[in-house]
Amino acid sequence: GITMFGLGPKYKKAILLHGRGASGKSTALAVLQEMMPPDTTAVLPPQKWAERFALTALVNKALNICGELPESATIDGSRFKGVVVGEDQDTEYKGRDGFKFRPYATHWFASNHLPRARDTSDAFIRRWLVLDFNRVIPVAERIPNFAEQLVAEEREAIAAWAVEGFIRVEKQGWTIPSSHVAREAQIMRSNNSVAAFLQSCDRVTVDSDKIGDCRELFDVYL
């Protein structure tokens, strides 16, 4: 519903469908894409957002989809945060003057691994909403072109369901699943080795107001 109404920046989240292959992530994205007018959709992975001409793809788009986050590429954390929350962005078309625009797309990604960035701030981590897809669909249960069939038969019902969800989130905010909390901690640890150390080292007491020898602590961290 947020995506349909072009209000992604208001809610300050990029949605990541996380899970193994054949768990339905791509089908969910395909249903979403089928529900949107073609000229309102972009396909721009977040690791490209810092490239010179890339953001022109998001001009006047309500939905941005990336079918698979690359495992090795890192995301520019500052650019990512600014685009997700709808801050003014500078971009340009090739051979033309640059201009500012305010992105309003909601960003939906799928991946079997978590996003990586050089940005270790909480602000980067808070921009994600991770939804686990943890059931691999058996081959015998898979339906070819299921997304297209579903939207052809149930478009009005899906739209009505989305509007109901939009009204609910307007009243009470996001519903955060417990799996997201665990994944959020994983993202923090994978992007911030110090945070990972502090969470996992049994020689660090969180509530203590003092530490032992700094050199010793650093050696333990290493």
Side-chain angles (χ1 to χ4, degrees):
I2 291 166
T3 305
M4 287 169 56
F5 289 111
L7 293 173
K10 177 179 178 180
Y11 294 92
K12 298 180 171 57
K13 296 283 188 185
I15 296 98
L16 175 62
L17 311 184
H18 179 265
R20 294 167 57 191
S23 59
K25 305 186 304 294
S26 297
T27 298
L29 292 183
V31 169
L32 178 61
Q33 194 164 10
E34 287 285 328
M35 290 295 298
M36 301 292 290
D39 60 351
T40 65
T41 300
V43 181
L44 185 66
Q47 75 275 9
K48 292 187 175 183
W49 291 2
E51 295 180 6
R52 181 176 176 184
F53 303 107
L55 290 185
T56 56
L58 299 181
V59 176
N60 296 325
K61 305 301 182 184
L63 166 66
N64 180 46
I65 279 182
C66 175
E68 187 67 39
L69 291 180
E71 187 168 4
S72 57
T74 56
I75 298 169
D76 184 307
S78 179
R79 179 62 60 89
F80 179 83
K81 291 178 289 189
V83 170
V84 169
V85 304
E87 295 176 354
D88 285 346
Q89 300 295 318
D90 291 307
T91 191
E92 58 184 301
Y93 293 103
K94 291 182 180 179
R96 296 164 61 179
D97 292 339
F99 63 96
K100 287 185 181 292
F101 82 106
R102 183 166 293 180
Y104 62 88
T106 308
H107 305 276
W108 290 75
F109 309 123
S111 184
N112 58 11
H113 53 268
L114 296 170
R116 298 188 61 83
R118 294 186 179 91
D119 188 324
T120 60
S121 68
D122 288 343
F124 174 76
I125 298 166
R126 288 199 310 270
R127 296 288 77 84
W128 292 94
L129 176 63
V130 184
L131 306 178
D132 270 353
F133 280 54
N134 48 29
R135 178 177 182 264
V136 175
I137 310 301
V139 174
E141 295 182 21
R142 298 176 194 173
I143 302 172
N145 303 314
F146 178 63
E148 293 84 350
Q149 294 180 40
L150 181 63
V151 173
E153 296 174 7
E154 303 287 355
R155 182 182 297 273
E156 293 80 7
I158 295 171
W161 184 44
V163 171
E164 289 178 5
F166 174 72
I167 293 171
R168 185 171 64 251
V169 78
E170 280 276 281
K171 290 180 178 178
Q172 66 186 43
W174 291 108
T175 299
I176 303 297
S178 57
S179 59
H180 164 80
V181 178
R183 297 300 180 192
E184 190 177 51
Q186 280 185 265
I187 295 172
M188 180 181 70
R189 291 195 299 271
S190 66
N191 288 292
N192 188 336
S193 63
V194 174
F197 165 69
L198 293 175
Q199 286 189 356
S200 61
C201 181
D202 58 9
R203 296 176 64 179
V204 176
T205 303
V206 175
D207 295 326
S208 175
D209 60 357
K210 64 176 109 177
I211 60 173
D213 180 70
C214 286
R215 180 72 241 183
E216 180 186 359
L217 181 65
F218 184 66
D219 289 342
V220 173
Y221 161 72
L222 290 180

